[in-house]
Amino acid sequence: MTKFRFALAASAALLCLAGAANADDLTFTLKNGTKSVLTNFYTSPVGVNNWEDDVFGKQVLNPGESMDITIGDGRTVCKYDMKFEFEEGSSLDTTTDTQNLCELGSYTIHE
């Protein structure tokens, strides 16, 4: 009976930890308000000198479309640098910005 209680307690602790990790996820809606395809979107906490992996992966964000973004890196910071890259041949240059993602409900990239 003691082993069963220990296993039950350990399972409950793991579930609590998993729930806590999800609570730190940062979510917002990214909208493409340009006339060009947004091909890459990178984030990095302010003060980190390297960009994290491309948030889009193999996806793109077409003009006028929006996408729900979740940054689940487990960090407890709110301020992130963001980098946006557009399709080859676009008249738009790579754009960067810094935002408090904990307070951000949506973000629209404009030309």
Side-chain angles (χ1 to χ4, degrees), residues 75-92:
R75 293 181 173 108
T76 58
V77 299
C78 290
K79 290 195 104 183
Y80 278 76
D81 293 324
M82 300 184 295
K83 178 174 146 182
F84 304 92
E85 294 179 348
F86 296 92
E87 67 186 333
E88 193 172 319
S90 169
S91 62
L92 299 177

Side-chain angles (χ1 to χ4, degrees), residues 35-105:
K35 295 178 183 170
S36 297
V37 176
L38 186 55
T39 57
N40 303 92
F41 173 53
Y42 302 93
T43 63
S44 176
V46 170
V48 173
N49 294 326
N50 297 315
W51 293 107
E52 306 283 322
D53 292 334
D54 181 11
V55 175
F56 287 167
K58 294 183 179 186
Q59 296 179 324
V60 297
L61 192 59
N62 291 306
E65 290 184 344
S66 61
M67 176 187 299
D68 291 332
I69 303 290
T70 299
I71 299 174
D73 60 10
R75 293 181 173 108
T76 58
V77 299
C78 290
K79 290 195 104 183
Y80 278 76
D81 293 324
M82 300 184 295
K83 178 174 146 182
F84 304 92
E85 294 179 348
F86 296 92
E87 67 186 333
E88 193 172 319
S90 169
S91 62
L92 299 177
D93 293 327
T94 297
T95 303
T96 58
D97 194 6
T98 300
Q99 292 290 324
N100 181 331
L101 298 184
C102 295
E103 298 174 355
L104 193 66

